[in-house]
């Protein structure tokens, strides 16, 4: 770069960019300066003084981690003066540190030990007071040994500046300085979110995972890099194992997605895979009981029953549920099984329940449906508009990025959300709209933007069509009118509109608060309208960014586990496409699109669907109005389930096949930003469990196909050959890199930003959208709006997270958020059980009294089978995307009788 | 009392301010009666009650309308708290109590007369009544404190009347912001917070920093122990800070500011808030100041009292609501400060200087001070100095002028040891730098710093190890804990210091402290850590010996460090005599036991009670209140009492015990050694060159101070223990060590004294009529002295000079003069000796140095002298005499006694073959008395040079312990902490005399021509009453 300059370090010339520190310049020159408190993700702390250097013209030594490099600076890192200071720092630290390397967990990884070795400090020459604080083992996940703490502040930096949980800080002064929970409390009583970044950042044995204690030293462990199985962020993980056992999991610091960060689930929630109730053998139902069987027997039975139903009722009497939890390869094979082996397009999966409207809406607006910009772009956005996404809980790592963008980079955050979620604290504009009123809100924002001439005329002119119609429609939605619909003050709408439109780069981030409505497609179209109107597409740090819920929602859709689309969003009703697949698979394929998830269940209830194969899904908890789902599954003639645990759904199964968890098999997940990443086996599978690709191959072959597939990698090769976006992707490439699709060829580097210069459909299409009310509104009988969503600690139907011991200790049961005003009217205190009823069912659940929800609105997470929110939700569907309206239904709330109390206080996040 | 909330006009233009000031000036009658009473620092001494009493008396006298009772801030002279001033007379009253109120009203307010007793007592006992007559105020120059004590700080009108906000008006009307900065730059003002960065340059940098928003911060987080400058200004004249800040804000382009003041300064906080409210009310602060387009909004942020928050980056973090932890610089606050915006931080005193600079011009300001340090500096003068308080002095003034001029010197004639400057971050400035000009660079050059202006004076009764420990303990506990060298390093240093203070130190601890200190300074993150080792480093630098005393001798010379100390008096005694014990026993009437306690350490009780200089008394805690216990007089009483009752001679040696030790010299050292050896069971023989035993006690000390029979009596006690004293035997000449060895002596103690006078080294000194001091005294004491006539000159200022002069006076001359080249203050002789000499008629020629002896008729006829003046301090802080050119004159003399020093008799020593240190003294280990020769020990003046009897006896005691172990083939004794007194006596204060017992003395008329003892001794009743004055301050230790 032209701004580069030179300085002298130890007599050598080094080059640096403006803004670089001396340490960074030295690193670049290949000269490693020792460091203890430095962490690349944190502001320089400059407390350890191990990185001090001598600079010509400076009176004292300076910490190179914090010292800006300057042109012509003359730096020495190797003088006696510098070494004296380093030695003293290490000697002093060791003077208040137990010399117990022989028994310390971190031996071999400890950075203090390393520098003691490098500087030749055998023992501290200082004899003095030491700290003897007792070991803190009060939380489920990690130990804090104060005697080993060197107060480098990395844990505090992570907690305060990265996660922004503010759970720990320095306390006391002088030699008595300690790291402590806020107000000196144990971590459980603080705002700690147990992400464990502190543990990973700790350079000594002061913070260690409980799972590794006593299991060995770093050199005893072997590490496997893989991808997190929880949410759609797709964090890189490093799994450490010894003797066939996982000892700990860390965030992968080399991952561009998470740079080493994780949330509590990724770091500590892996133990589900090692639970004893894993399925280890195939089970078949005999005399109403599921009993172990051989693979041959089980596969044979499935093939026999499916063939029988197909023979009797045609292929469309069968349905296949793939899974957003499963890999691209598995989803590809599942849809191929349905289409090529059975001959039906009745294949869908739970993406239907979360982002079907994204697919329908964005496809219509742009021609393809995915997050337009990478996660990392958020850091540099001048404005971020988050709507319908409780990012810090549902996508914690992206949440951190947003918080950092606001706090570090000065981004303006606009939040539209009925709940006072954590991001409300960070938002300059918080629009608290009534659930289900999003279109009115967005239209009003666009009304302001157009009225005030803030729209991007050039972009509209050159890149879009349909503006006139849009303008005409939104002209009707003045902020004042919108205020009447949404409850958001008109001025607030104006201010937010100006902030969004006025920013140089503005990114929209949304999630299921937008999609899970009967107006889901309309909502998504509105979001797309807003972005196109302001020219926030096809450039960095902008775009429309749907956050995908599960680890592989993006990939399972990409792989074609959809009733109307082949892999790569190629339409089944397009004859040319169909011909391509028929040729590749050597079969003729059905022409009509199949049924969607909710439609499938409804069809099953009606007896039209008679046999079903469900892979890695649990519709009994995840689908809306589960009373109907239960009836549908009970009505099936045959149900086969492929999973790693028995589930609420597998109770209805005739055959259950044991699958492998993410720790045991290979494959690829595609995260929310279209990044295809490998999972790698770290553990042997339990019992006879097999990888899904193998199960599906064997099942296909049992059904008469001749699949000669020997690995997941081969499945990917086959998929890539048929899927242009994945054309250049292979496991071999992914060993060394991660790739964002479109990646059409083997030498293509992947695509960071979509729609640069051109949309897949050519011009972007504005859609004039009118506001419609949700399907069910509160009334006298059911006076509350129920909205549902996730908690930070739990995940989906709890199959995984509720099997994690530590997580379950923190949150053992569900809850319902009730506004204090409503709680008072109900006579309900924190922790009291209430009965929540809708027209479809009722559940009892503990109340969490909080102003996170506005009056007359209640919120329930849907992870808990004991208090299954989806027993209440409505199966009303968006007409286009067929996504159910999880976010709005009407319920009644009353105190449960007899009086019951929650087992423990609910652990609220900030 | 004046209400501070009232209607006030809005000053919406510069003219409005000027008009308002004019009307205030017109309304102020300088002839009106006003009582200005300090209502800030003096509150702790009852100022509130005094105010109420005065108000009541004024009311009662019907003067309520005629007298203004003005509540001011600090008036500076805290030593006199509570203080008040009465205008228009200018009387300055101190130590006022409620009982004085009526008299003040009647005598001063109604009759206009002063009350003498409330004035300041000068050295000569007279009272002065006006500030300007007090030495404390004479050397001051008030810029920052211009209004402190003069105005009511809670009334903006008082401030405006005295040209307040005129500087602001000028800045707003006549100067551009750039010109304001130029003016401040030209003034040479440097940051008064301590670092001394040029203020104008700092402003310039902030002004040039890019940013639409800038902040101005006043650092009022004063936290140094003993420092209260900022507090004084904020309490006494808050508007001066506000005005400075407003001017600064406009100059740098800030529209918002903070005053960060510690919450434990509640009066300062209140006064600042009041001042801000009044300034806002009048349009001097806030929006559109004085009708201009300049706006500035100010907030007060109360700090929680963390010392580190005085560091600017920590201070800013604290304002931002974060933990007060410093961060690395760069970026400097000027680039990225509060909330990332360019921020200018100055200290209270810096801001208080601004308005006068703008009003009077840079040249006016720069006319005061030194080349690189302009203007004045406020110090809070604290510690062991007579006049404590707040002083403002021109830069460049010497430390001596502050401590001895303004400060009035050290309490009770103790010696100045050092001044701790710059607070805990600073360093101590020892006596040798008393003449150092106070400016930034000079202080730094001696390892100290200007700091914010704490100036704590320490005297000889302060232990430097303890001092260093105190400050280090402060900073280490105030460390924010962020960086390792500061957090852990200072704690480790403190632990080492503590070990040293407890007698567990090792010599290489000092090297460790020094190297650690150096690295901690070099590698800490912020100023706190970078200066934390200073008190340790500077005390080691200047007082290494005192550290070594703790380490090697297990002794705390100042008697402070608990495990190494007993009681102040016992610690003060070189021989470790347990004064605490025998004074207590005496008070209890247990006289025999009391004598035994003394005899534990010294054989010559009555002698010591007469000749000792009583360092025990200098330390006495009673002296901190009024006058010390007359310990010496009590000891003398005990010795004399016993003599009348029958001396309890310690058990004599068994008759068959052979003499194994040869003691050479029968002076106090030799006698003490023989005595203690006998008590340990070893017989010795004392060889004495003179015809009589007693050494210097007999040869040099005149009989009027020590009657011969008293000395003889106590030497006889030693003899009675079975010790033979062979007089007239000069070892080395009459008998050699080898011969003595052959005779069976196995160990030797050489204590031959320093009996030779040092020569004047002047032309003519060998003329008849010129004599050495010691030779003269020896002749007087042992021979039959010739009568003297005419004029006698004694050259020198030591004790020998005084003895010689007083002895000479008794031999009948017309006049006796002491010629001394320094001033009275530097005279090394004990004060009481000089006073007695003067009382007896000796005359003094100070600052006079001899040049040559003038001859007439083949003998001395006079002494050509030269006038001297005092220059810079020497290592002990005494000012060196410097000749005044051309001032020579002749002092006629008939007889000249040269008492300029003593020397050992080197001839005899060479014969003994002992290794000598400088000046021909014998080198001996300081606590085993071991010399270079196997089996030979040495002590007393021959080792020390001219010293005192008690030191000599102490050497004898140590030598006896060492010789015993040597004879028994055991390792020589390691130094042991001083033994605690075994005597536990409850205080018996019943019947104590209220003041120190005066020593009855021989009438002047009876002294002439006669060598009768001058001091007559206390009687039993007086002695017991005196003993009962003892505070028993060591009692806790007794009961440990």
């Amino acid at each position: 770069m032209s701004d580069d300059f030179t300085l002298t370090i130890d007599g050598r010339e080094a080059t640096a960019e403006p803004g670089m520190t001396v340490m960074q310049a030295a690193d670049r020159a290949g000269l490693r300066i020792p460091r203890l408190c430095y962490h690349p993700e944190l502001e320089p702390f400059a407390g350890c003084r191990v990185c001090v250097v001598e600079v010509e013209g400076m009176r004292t030594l300076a910490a190179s981690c914090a010292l800006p490099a300057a042109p012509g600076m003359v730096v020495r890192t190797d003088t006696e003066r510098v070494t004296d200071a380093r030695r003293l720092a290490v000697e002093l630290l060791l003077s208040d540190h137990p010399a117990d390397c022989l028994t310390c967990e971190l031996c071999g990884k400890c950075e203090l030990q390393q520098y003691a070795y490098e500087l030749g400090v055998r023992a501290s020459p200082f004899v003095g007071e030491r700290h003897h604080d007792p070991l803190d083992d009060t939380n489920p996940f990690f130990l804090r040994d104060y005697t080993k703490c060197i107060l480098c502040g990395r844990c505090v930096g992570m907690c305060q500046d990265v996660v922004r949980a503010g759970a720990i800080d320095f306390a006391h002064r002088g030699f008595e300085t300690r790291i402590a929970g806020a107000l000196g409390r144990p971590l459980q009583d603080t705002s700690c979110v147990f992400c464990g970044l502190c543990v990973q950042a700790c350079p000594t044995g002061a913070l260690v995972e409980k799972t590794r204690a006593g299991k060995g030293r770093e050199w005893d462990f072997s590490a496997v890099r893989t991808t997190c199985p929880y949410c759609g962020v797709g964090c890189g993980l490093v799994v450490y194992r010894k003797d066939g056992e996982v000892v700990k999991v860390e965030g992968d610091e080399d991952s561009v997605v998470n740079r080493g960060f994780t949330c509590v689930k990724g770091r500590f929630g892996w133990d589900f895979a090692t639970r004893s109730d894993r399925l280890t053998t195939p089970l078949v139902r005999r005399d109403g009981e599921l009993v172990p069987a051989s693979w041959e027997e089980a596969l044979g039975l499935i093939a026999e029953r499916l063939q029988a139903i197909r023979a009797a009722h045609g292929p469309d009497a069968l349905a296949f549920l793939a899974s957003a939890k499963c890999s691209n390869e598995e989803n590809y094979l599942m849809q191929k099984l349905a289409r090529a082996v059975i001959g039906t397009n009745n294949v869908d999966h739970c993406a239907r329940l979360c982002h079907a409207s994204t697919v329908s809406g964005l496809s219509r607006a742009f021609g393809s449906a995915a997050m337009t910009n990478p996660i990392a772009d958020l850091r540099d956005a001048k404005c971020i508009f988050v709507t319908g996404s409780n990012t810090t809980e549902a996508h914690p790592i992206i949440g951190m990025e947003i918080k950092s963008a606001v706090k570090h980079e000065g981004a303006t955050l606009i939040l539209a959300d009925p709940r006072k979620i954590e991001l409300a604290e960070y938002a300059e504009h918080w629009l608290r709209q009534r659930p289900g009123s999003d279109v009115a809100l967005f239209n009003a924002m666009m009304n302001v933007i157009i009225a005030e001439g803030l729209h991007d005329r050039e972009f509209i002119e050159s890149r879009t069509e349909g503006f006139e119609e849009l303008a005409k429609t939104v002209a009707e939605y003045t902020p004042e009118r919108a205020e009447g619909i949404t409850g958001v003050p008109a001025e607030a709408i104006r201010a937010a509109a100006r902030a969004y439109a006025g920013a140089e780069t503005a990114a929209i981030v949304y999630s299921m608060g937008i999609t899970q409505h009967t107006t889901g497609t309309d909502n998504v179209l509105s979001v797309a309208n807003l972005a196109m109107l302001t020219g926030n597409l096809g450039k960095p740090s902008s775009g429309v960014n749907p956050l995908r819920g599960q680890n592989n929602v993006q990939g399972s859709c990409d792989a074609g586990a959809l009733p109307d689309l082949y892999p790569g969003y190629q339409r089944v009703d397009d004859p040319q496409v169909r011909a391509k697949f028929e040729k590749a698979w050597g079969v003729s394929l059905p022409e009509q699109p199949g049924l969607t998830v909710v439609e499938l269940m409804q069809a099953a209830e009606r007896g039209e669907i008679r046999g079903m194969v469900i892979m890695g899904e649990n519709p009994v908890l995840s689908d809306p109005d589960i009373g109907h789902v239960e009836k549908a599954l009970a009505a099936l003639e045959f149900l086969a389930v492929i999973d790693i645990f028995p589930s609420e759904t597998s109770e209805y199964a005739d055959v259950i096949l044991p699958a492998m968890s993410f720790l045991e098999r290979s494959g690829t997940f595609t995260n929310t930003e279209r990044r295809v990443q490998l999972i790698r086996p770290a553990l042997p599978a339990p019992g006879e469990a097999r990888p899904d690709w193998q199960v599906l191959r064997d099942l296909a072959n049992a059904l008469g196909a001749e699949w000669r597939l020997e690995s997941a990698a081969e499945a990917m090769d086959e998929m890539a050959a048929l899927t242009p976006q994945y054309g250049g992707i292979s496991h071999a490439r992914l060993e060394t890199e991660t790739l964002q699709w479109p990646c059409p060829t083997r030498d293509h580097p992947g695509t960071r930003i979509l729609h640069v210069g051109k949309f897949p459909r050519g011009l972007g299409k504005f859609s004039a959208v009118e506001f419609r009310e949700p399907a069910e509104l509160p009334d006298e009988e059911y006076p509350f709006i129920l909205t549902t969503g996730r908690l930070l600690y739990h995940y989906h139907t709890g199959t995984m997270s509720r099997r994690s011991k530590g997580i379950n200790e923190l949150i053992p049961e569900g809850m319902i958020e009730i506004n204090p005003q409503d709680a008072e009217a109900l006579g309900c205190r924190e922790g009291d059980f209430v009965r929540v009823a809708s027209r479809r069912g009722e559940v009892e659940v503990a109340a969490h009294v909080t102003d996170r929800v506005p009056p007359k609105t209640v919120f329930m997470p849907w992870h808990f089978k004991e208090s299954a929110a989806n027993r209440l939700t409505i199966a009303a569907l968006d007409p286009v995307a067929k996504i159910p309206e999880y976010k709005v239904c009407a319920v009644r709330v009353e105190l449960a009788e007899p009086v019951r109390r929650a087992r423990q206080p609910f652990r609220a996040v900030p | 009392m004046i209400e501070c909330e009232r209607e006030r006009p809005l000053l919406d233009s510069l003219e409005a301010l000027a008009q308002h000031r004019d009307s205030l000036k017109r309304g102020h009658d300088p002839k009106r009666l006003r009582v200005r009473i300090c209502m800030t620092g003096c509150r702790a001494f009852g100022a509130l009650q005094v105010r109420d009493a005065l108000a009541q008396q004024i009311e009662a006298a019907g003067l309520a309308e005629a007298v203004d009772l003005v509540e001011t801030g600090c008036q500076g002279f805290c030593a006199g708290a509570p203080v008040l001033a009465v205008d228009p007379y200018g009387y300055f009253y101190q130590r006022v109590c409620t009982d004085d109120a009526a008299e003040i009203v009647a005598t001063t307010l109604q009759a206009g007369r002063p009350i003498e007793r409330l004035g300041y007592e000068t050295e000569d006992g007279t009272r002065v009544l006006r500030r300007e007559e007090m030495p404390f105020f004479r050397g001051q120059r008030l810029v920052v404190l211009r209004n402190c004590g003069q105005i009511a700080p809670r009334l903006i009108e008082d401030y405006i009347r005295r040209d307040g906000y005129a500087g602001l008006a000028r800045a707003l009307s006549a100067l551009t912001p750039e010109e304001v900065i130029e003016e401040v730059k030209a003034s040479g003002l440097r940051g008064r917070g301590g670092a001394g960065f040029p203020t104008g340059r700092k402003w310039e940098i902030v002004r040039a920093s890019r940013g639409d928003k800038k902040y101005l911060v006043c650092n009022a987080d004063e936290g140094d122990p003993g420092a209260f400058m900022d507090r004084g200004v904020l309490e006494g004249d808050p508007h001066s800070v506000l005005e400075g800040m407003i001017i600064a804000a406009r100059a740098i382009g800030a529209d918002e500011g903070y005053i960060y003041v510690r919450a434990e300064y509640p009066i300062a906080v209140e006064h600042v808030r009041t001042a801000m409210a009044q300034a806002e009310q009048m349009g001097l602060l806030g929006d559109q100041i004085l009708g201009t387009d300049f706006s500035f909004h100010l907030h007060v942020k109360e700090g929680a009292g963390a010392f580190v928050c005085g560091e600017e980056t920590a201070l800013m973090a604290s304002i931002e609501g974060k933990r007060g932890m410093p961060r690395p610089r760069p970026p400097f606050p000027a680039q990225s400060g509060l909330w990332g915006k360019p921020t200018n931080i100055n200290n209270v005193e810096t801001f208080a200087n601004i308005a006068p600079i703008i009003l009077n011009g840079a040249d006016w300001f720069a006319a005061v001070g030194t080349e690189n340090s302009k203007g004045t500096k406020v110090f809070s003068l604290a510690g062991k100095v007579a006049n404590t308080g707040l002083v403002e002095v021109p830069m460049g003034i010497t430390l001596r002028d502050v401590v001895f001029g303004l400060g009035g010197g050290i309490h009770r004639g103790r010696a100045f040891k050092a001044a701790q400057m710059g607070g805990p971050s600073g360093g101590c400035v020892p006596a040798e730098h008393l003449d150092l000009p106070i400016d930034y660079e000079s202080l730094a050059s001696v390892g100290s710093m200007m700091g914010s202006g704490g100036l704590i004076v320490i005297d000889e009764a302060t232990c430097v190890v303890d001092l260093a420990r105190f400050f280090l303990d402060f900073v280490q506990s105030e460390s924010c804990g962020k960086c390792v060298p500061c957090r852990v390093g200072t704690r480790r240093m403190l632990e080492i210091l503590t070990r040293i203070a407890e007698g567990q130190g090792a010599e290489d601890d000092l090297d460790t402290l020094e190297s650690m200190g150096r690295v901690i300074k070099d590698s800490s993150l912020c100023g706190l850590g970078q200066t934390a080792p200073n008190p340790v480093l500077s005390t080691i630098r200047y007082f290494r010996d005192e550290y070594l005393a703790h380490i090697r001798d297990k002794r705390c010379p100042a008697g402070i460090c608990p495990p190494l100390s007993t009681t102040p008096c016992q610690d003060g005694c070189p021989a470790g005599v347990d004064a605490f014990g025998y004074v207590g026993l005496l008070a209890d009437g247990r006289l025999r036991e009391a004598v035994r306690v003394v005899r534990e350490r010294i054989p010559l009780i009555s002698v010591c009670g007469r000749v000792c200089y009583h360092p025990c008394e200098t330390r006495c805690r009673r002296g901190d209140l009024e006058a010390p216990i007359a310990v010496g007089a009590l000891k003398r009483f005990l010795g004399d009492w016993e003599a009348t009752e029958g001396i309890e001679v310690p058990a004599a040696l068994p008759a068959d015990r052979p003499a194994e030790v040869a003691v050479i010299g029968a002076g106090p050292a030799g006698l003490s050694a023989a005595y203690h050896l006998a008590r340990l069971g070893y017989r010795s023989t004392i060889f004495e060159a003179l015809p009589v035993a007693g050494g210097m006690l007999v040869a040099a000390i005149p009989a009027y101070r020590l009657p011969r029979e008293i000395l003889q009596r106590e030497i006889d006690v030693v003899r009675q223990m079975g010790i033979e004293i062979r007089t007239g035997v000069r070892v080395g000449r009459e008998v050699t060590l080898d011969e003595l060895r052959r005779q069976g002596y196995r160990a030797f103690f050489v204590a031959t004294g320093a009996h030779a006078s040092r020569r004047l080294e002047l032309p003519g000194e060998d003329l008849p009529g010129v004599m050495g001091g010691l030779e003269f005294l020896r002749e007087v004491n042992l021979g039959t002295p010739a009568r003297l006539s005419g004029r006698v000159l004694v050259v020198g200022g030591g004790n020998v000079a005084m003895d010689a002069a007083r002895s000479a006076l008794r031999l009948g001359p017309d006049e006796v003069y002491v010629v001394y080249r320094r001033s009275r203050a530097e005279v090394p002789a004990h004060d009481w000796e000089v006073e007695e000499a003067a009382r007896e008629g000796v005359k003094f020629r100070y600052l006079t140095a001899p040049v040559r002896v003038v001859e007439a008729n083949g003998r001395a006829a006079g002494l050509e002298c030269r006038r001297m003046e005092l220059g810079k301090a020497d290592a002990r802080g005494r000012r060196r005499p410097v000749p005044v050119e051309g001032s020579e004159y002749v002092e006629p003399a008939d007889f000249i006694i040269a008492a300029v020093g003593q020397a050992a008799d080197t001839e005899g020593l060479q014969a003994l073959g002992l290794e000598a240190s400088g000046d021909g003294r014998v080198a001996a280990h300081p606590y085993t008395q071991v010399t270079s020769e196997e089996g030979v020990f040495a002590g007393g003046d021959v080792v020390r040079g001219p010293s005192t009897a008690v030191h000599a006896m102490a050497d004898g005691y140590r030598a006896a312990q060492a010789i015993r172990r040597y004879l028994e083939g055991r390792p020589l004794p390691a130094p042991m902490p001083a033994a605690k007194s075994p005597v536990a006596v409850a205080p018996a204060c019943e019947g104590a005399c209220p003041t120190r017992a005066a020593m009855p003395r021989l009438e002047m008329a009876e002294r002439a021509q006669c060598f009768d003892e001058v001091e007559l001794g206390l009687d039993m009743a007086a002695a017991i009453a005196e003993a009962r004055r003892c505070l028993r301050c060591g009692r806790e230790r007794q009961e440990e």
Side-chain angles (χ1 to χ4, degrees), chain A residues 49 81 95 129 172-174, chain B residues 323 478-479 491 522-523:
Chain A
R49 316 310 284 174
R81 194 176 152 205
S95 74
E129 193 188 339
H172 312 296
R173 280 186 219 160
Chain B
R323 179 179 163 90
E478 289 290 339
S479 163
R491 168 61 69 110
D522 201 22
S523 63

Side-chain angles (χ1 to χ4, degrees), chain B residues 224 307 379 420-427 448-456:
Chain B
D224 307 12
F307 181 64
F379 288 99
Q420 173 72 23
M421 298 191 68
S425 321
S448 184
M449 64 188 279
M450 181 76 78
S452 54
L455 201 166
I456 299 173

Side-chain angles (χ1 to χ4, degrees), chain A residues 117-137:
Chain A
Y117 174 79
E118 283 178 17
L119 292 163
V121 181
R122 292 174 67 96
S124 180
F126 305 110
V127 181
E129 193 188 339
R130 285 169 180 272
H131 284 97
H132 298 285
D133 318 52
L135 187 76
D136 176 1
D137 64 349

Side-chain angles (χ1 to χ4, degrees), chain A residues 45-47 49 59-61 66 68 81 85 88-89 92 95 126-129 150-151 170 172-177, chain B residues 306 323 325 328 330 476-479 481-485 487-488 491-492 495 499 516 519 522-525 530:
Chain A
F45 182 73
R49 316 310 284 174
R59 190 173 47 87
T60 58
L61 299 175
R81 194 176 152 205
L88 181 69
L92 289 172
S95 74
F126 305 110
V127 181
E129 193 188 339
I150 60 169
L151 292 171
F170 289 87
H172 312 296
R173 280 186 219 160
F175 189 70
E176 306 310 322
T177 306
Chain B
R323 179 179 163 90
M325 267 185 166
Q476 71 88 26
S477 60
E478 289 290 339
S479 163
K482 182 171 180 175
C483 82
V484 176
R487 179 185 73 238
V488 192
R491 168 61 69 110
R492 296 295 171 241
E495 286 164 344
R499 284 203 296 274
M516 274 180 94
V519 179
D522 201 22
S523 63
S524 286
L525 171 60
Q530 286 168 9

